[in-house]
Amino acid sequence: MQNIPKHLKKYIVNQDYSKYTPLDQSTWRFIMKISISFFSKNAHRTYLKGLEKTGITLNEIPKINSINKKLQNFGWSAICVRGFIPPNAFMEFQSLKILPIAADMRSHNHLTYTPSPDVVHEAAGHAPIIANRDYSRYLISYGEIASKAIMSAEDMSLYYAIRNLSDIKERSNVSKQKITHYEQELKKAYKNISYLSESALLSRMNWWTVEYGLVGNIKNPKIYGAGLLSSVAESENCLNKDVKKIPFSLKCINYNYDITEQQPQLFVTPDFKYLTRILKKLSEKMSYKIGGKYGLDTAIKAKTVCTIEIDNQIQISGILDSYINKKNKVLFIKTIGPSQLCFKNKEIYGHNLKYHKDGYSSPIGKLRKYNKTINQLSLIERKNLNLKKNKQIKLYFKSNISVEGTISKIIIRNSKIILIAFINCTVKHKNTILFEPEWGNYDMICGEIITSVYGGPADKKNYYLLSDDEDRYLKYNKKSQSQKNIRLNALHKKINLLKNKKNSFNQIEKIYLNAKQNFNNEWLIFYEILEISLNMKKAYWINSIIKKLYKIIEKNNDLSHAIKRGLDLLLLK
């Protein structure tokens, strides 16, 4: 916790283990029971060993502190979060080799799949494959690159719509009308996507690798994606011939995905090292590496906080509003809203969001007189220009931009001027006024080349100290229990306590009769009764339960397939 940046700590919560109900524990056990059997044959060889090595317990929901201790053997750690967290925060955690694990447990009604992050997906899905060194390296690289990707305002609206719908579906006693409302909101968010941002392209690569990736021979691939490893239904369905298998390449970013549907195609990488090679190819096309006009255009389209880096040293963080350009040379930059100025990713003292609350602007480029940028001037050239505190000066740039005012401060780093502050300053481009004295003090950065443009602020620690961008997800909703669920949980607790006891026939019989009378449609309690009583000769209810489960199996849906897998494990030993 001490090494986690403060702006990320707000997403971390304690895993309140007492909140997991006996029904939650039964749901976890069933999922892991059928998963181990299936994935021992169909998952990458890392999976089974990875479960043990990363602290994923099979008979009870794992404790995230235990996972954290185990992951430290691989140079990773784990923290507990509240469900969905913003993608950029998730990626920053990942770049720091921290696995965020959502504490929630899916309901038994959504046992085969839930779009919401939960402990099954995050722990049993993501953690085991981290034990593979090559895959771990890919995750770290992906996190580093994805945290630089420029995310659009449209992406954020879509994120909130997905999170809200997923959250509402996991609550009990929610009206169909309310679910329909949030489904419509999600459709609206999808329709409002006007272009594919860098973040969206990275998200597609993440989906087809980290979440839904296959590895090995394309004719007989193995599962490694967390979305598949945590989906009881789709993990089985994905290996069918109906799901197209495509060799993994950069072309995967041309394929969209729907989190509410099973995927019609999947991508197969020959090995985990190949993932990193393709990721590097994608990164070469991103603004953080290209910079210049291309990067600025990407930032303007995004309408989100981005960082503009100049000469690999000075950073301007804010929402880019506009720039002046001539022959692909950027001459002037302007942001709107709270902005931050940094030198080598550290906030320049005083140049925070509060000071630049209404935005920031500055010319960049060479001075006309010396054909040099200000940070390249010699001491003699500075003297000739009268670059001294309290001096009234007028600077002419080759771009036809002029800056006239009284110098109030000069900031120097490594013997070079990086910023000049003015009072009573006027900035013009030809005859166009860019800044007037009435607008306040003027701070001009000194540099020329836009070397990088990337998503988010440069100095996150100081930026988020003053940012009011408090994420709306922080309201935590815990599923409330009805009286019926309380009684059902009591039965699951009793049956679990009897698993290691002998001569428990009478107690099991009472549980069976109670379940038959009050919870006749709750298949999982009957499965647990069957599991514990299969070797009891007097257990007259065995055949009745088997028939009941087979009736559900006849419905031929994802849940029925999962129940059949569980039943086969009991009956075909």
Side-chain angles (χ1 to χ4, degrees):
M1 283 290 290
Q2 292 177 349
N3 297 325
I4 295 174
K6 189 174 181 179
H7 66 276
L8 292 179
K9 287 184 179 178
K10 68 179 180 180
Y11 301 110
I12 301 173
V13 297
N14 290 322
Q15 183 190 27
D16 187 348
Y17 204 82
S18 67
K19 295 291 185 182
Y20 296 123
T21 66
L23 182 51
D24 288 334
Q25 297 288 2
S26 294
T27 303
W28 172 272
R29 277 194 300 275
F30 182 83
I31 290 172
M32 296 310 294
K33 185 181 187 71
I34 63 175
S35 294
I36 291 298
S37 172
F38 181 78
F39 291 131
S40 63
K41 300 174 184 176
N42 296 296
H44 186 268
R45 61 183 180 275
T46 300
Y47 178 76
L48 287 182
K49 291 180 180 178
L51 287 171
E52 182 180 353
K53 287 180 177 180
T54 56
I56 310 302
T57 45
L58 305 183
N59 292 320
E60 63 178 6
I61 296 169
K63 293 180 174 65
I64 294 173
N65 281 341
S66 298
I67 297 173
N68 179 48
K69 289 176 183 177
K70 291 278 190 176
L71 282 176
Q72 287 175 15
N73 293 326
F74 304 100
W76 280 70
S77 56
I79 46 95
C80 182
V81 298
R82 294 183 178 107
F84 271 111
I85 63 174
N88 52 346
F90 189 94
M91 293 310 162
E92 190 175 353
F93 274 121
Q94 190 170 297
S95 69
L96 298 171
K97 297 195 284 187
I98 299 170
L99 176 65
I101 298 178
D104 285 339
M105 177 65 198
R106 67 187 61 181
S107 70
H108 68 299
N109 295 322
H110 298 142
L111 179 145
T112 58
Y113 173 75
T114 175
S116 297
D118 76 330
V119 70
V120 177
H121 176 79
E122 311 287 4
H126 279 292
I129 310 299
I130 289 178
N132 183 286
R133 186 177 297 178
D134 292 334
Y135 181 72
S136 173
R137 286 172 180 162
Y138 170 67
L139 278 187
I140 297 164
S141 296
Y142 181 89
E144 291 170 348
I145 291 170
S147 62
K148 293 280 189 182
I150 295 176
M151 177 179 290
S152 72
E154 297 168 355
D155 293 334
M156 289 307 298
S157 295
L158 179 61
Y159 153 72
Y160 283 118
I162 291 171
R163 194 188 69 191
N164 291 339
L165 177 60
S166 301
D167 180 64
I168 208 77
K169 281 187 171 182
E170 275 296 319
R171 298 186 201 177
S172 57
N173 302 320
V174 177
S175 67
K176 288 184 178 180
Q177 186 178 5
K178 201 162 190 178
I179 291 175
T180 301
H181 167 74
Y182 282 103
E183 286 175 339
Q184 292 301 322
E185 289 296 308
L186 178 57
K187 286 181 181 178
K188 191 187 298 181
Y190 271 119
K191 284 183 180 178
N192 288 337
I193 299 291
S194 60
Y195 78 104
L196 281 174
S197 68
E198 289 184 349
S199 183
L201 293 175
L202 265 293
S203 179
R204 287 184 177 187
M205 178 165 280
N206 183 73
W207 188 263
W208 300 122
T209 59
V210 175
E211 296 294 349
Y212 282 81
L214 301 176
V215 61
N217 189 307
I218 199 161
K219 293 183 179 179
N220 183 30
K222 302 300 180 184
I223 295 168
Y224 74 89
L228 294 173
L229 292 174
S230 60
S231 174
V232 172
E234 194 165 4
S235 59
E236 185 174 16
N237 298 338
C238 79
L239 298 177
N240 295 336
K241 291 181 180 179
D242 294 340
V243 178
K244 189 177 180 182
K245 313 300 188 300
I246 304 171
F248 177 69
S249 70
L250 194 53
K251 291 180 181 178
C252 73
I253 63 175
N254 297 327
Y255 290 77
N256 195 9
Y257 60 87
D258 184 344
I259 70 162
T260 65
E261 300 290 337
Q262 295 192 20
Q263 309 309 312
Q265 75 280 312
L266 295 173
F267 294 85
V268 185
T269 183
D271 54 49
F272 294 135
K273 286 183 179 179
Y274 191 69
L275 297 177
T276 304
R277 284 171 56 189
I278 299 301
L279 175 64
K280 187 177 179 181
K281 285 185 179 180
L282 179 57
S283 73
E284 298 297 333
K285 301 182 178 183
M286 292 174 62
S287 297
Y288 86 97
K289 284 196 174 179
I290 297 173
K293 183 177 179 298
Y294 175 87
L296 296 181
D297 287 338
T298 305
I300 286 176
K301 191 184 286 188
K303 299 177 183 177
T304 52
V305 173
C306 294
T307 293
I308 303 155
E309 187 170 87
I310 298 167
D311 296 347
N312 292 314
Q313 291 189 317
I314 302 170
Q315 294 85 27
I316 307 166
S317 298
I319 297 175
L320 183 62
D321 176 66
S322 59
Y323 65 92
I324 298 173
N325 163 72
K326 184 178 180 182
K327 295 181 180 179
N328 284 326
K329 283 192 175 183
V330 179
L331 315 175
F332 185 86
I333 302 163
K334 181 184 177 185
T335 66
I336 55 173
S339 300
Q340 176 194 60
L341 298 185
C342 297
F343 178 73
K344 293 187 176 179
N345 300 306
K346 296 294 183 182
E347 186 175 274
I348 299 171
Y349 181 76
H351 292 273
N352 52 37
L353 303 188
K354 188 175 180 180
Y355 180 66
H356 296 291
K357 60 184 177 62
D358 298 318
Y360 176 77
S361 67
S362 179
I364 59 173
K366 294 177 179 178
L367 296 175
R368 189 183 298 169
K369 184 173 183 179
Y370 292 108
N371 195 29
K372 288 181 180 181
T373 58
I374 291 173
N375 57 7
Q376 293 173 333
L377 295 174
S378 67
L379 291 174
I380 294 175
E381 289 165 339
R382 292 184 204 174
K383 185 177 180 181
N384 290 339
L385 286 171
N386 216 16
L387 288 179
K388 294 179 182 179
K389 188 177 178 180
N390 300 323
K391 293 294 183 179
Q392 173 80 18
I393 66 165
K394 188 169 186 178
L395 299 172
Y396 293 95
F397 288 81
K398 291 185 71 177
S399 58
N400 291 317
I401 291 175
S402 64
V403 178
E404 182 177 9
T406 301
I407 296 175
S408 60
K409 189 176 183 179
I410 297 175
I411 297 178
I412 296 174
R413 296 286 185 273
N414 302 329
S415 302
K416 293 182 178 180
I417 298 174
I418 64 164
L419 186 145
I420 302 175
F422 294 89
I423 56 174
N424 299 319
C425 187
T426 301
V427 182
K428 290 183 181 180
H429 179 232
K430 298 179 180 177
N431 295 320
T432 302
I433 299 289
L434 301 177
F435 192 89
E436 294 184 290
E438 293 79 11
W439 299 355
N441 298 334
Y442 191 73
D443 302 276
M444 183 181 72
I445 56 171
C446 305
E448 179 182 19
I449 306 297
I450 308 271
T451 48
S452 179
V453 182
Y454 56 86
D459 184 346
K460 294 182 174 70
K461 178 182 175 182
N462 284 298
Y463 182 93
Y464 290 114
L465 281 178
L466 295 176
S467 172
D468 60 359
D469 184 25
E470 200 61 35
D471 193 85
R472 287 175 279 169
Y473 95 103
L474 289 175
K475 184 178 178 183
Y476 184 51
N477 297 299
K478 179 63 187 171
K479 292 172 286 191
S480 58
Q481 284 198 65
S482 64
Q483 284 299 315
K484 180 181 176 182
N485 269 353
I486 290 172
R487 288 185 281 120
L488 179 59
N489 271 297
L491 288 189
H492 277 277
K493 183 176 182 179
K494 286 178 181 178
I495 201 73
N496 191 46
L497 290 173
L498 294 173
K499 285 187 175 179
N500 296 319
K501 289 187 178 180
K502 296 179 180 180
N503 304 320
S504 55
F505 176 86
N506 292 335
Q507 294 101 312
I508 296 172
E509 182 182 34
K510 286 180 181 179
I511 294 170
Y512 168 71
L513 294 173
N514 189 332
K516 185 178 179 182
Q517 182 178 351
N518 299 302
F519 304 101
N520 202 39
N521 294 322
E522 295 289 346
W523 68 270
L524 187 53
I525 187 64
F526 288 102
Y527 181 89
E528 295 225 312
I529 293 169
L530 178 64
E531 184 178 23
I532 199 174
S533 56
L534 263 178
N535 295 324
M536 291 182 177
K537 293 180 180 180
K538 295 189 295 181
Y540 59 86
W541 54 79
I542 288 177
N543 288 334
S544 176
I545 291 177
I546 292 172
K547 287 179 182 178
K548 176 186 285 293
L549 294 177
Y550 269 117
K551 278 188 178 180
I552 301 174
I553 291 170
E554 287 172 1
K555 293 181 180 179
N556 193 30
N557 55 32
D558 287 339
L559 179 60
S560 68
H561 293 165
I563 294 171
K564 185 179 186 305
R565 284 164 61 182
L567 194 56
D568 287 346
L569 288 173
L570 297 182
L571 302 182
L572 301 178
K573 285 184 178 179

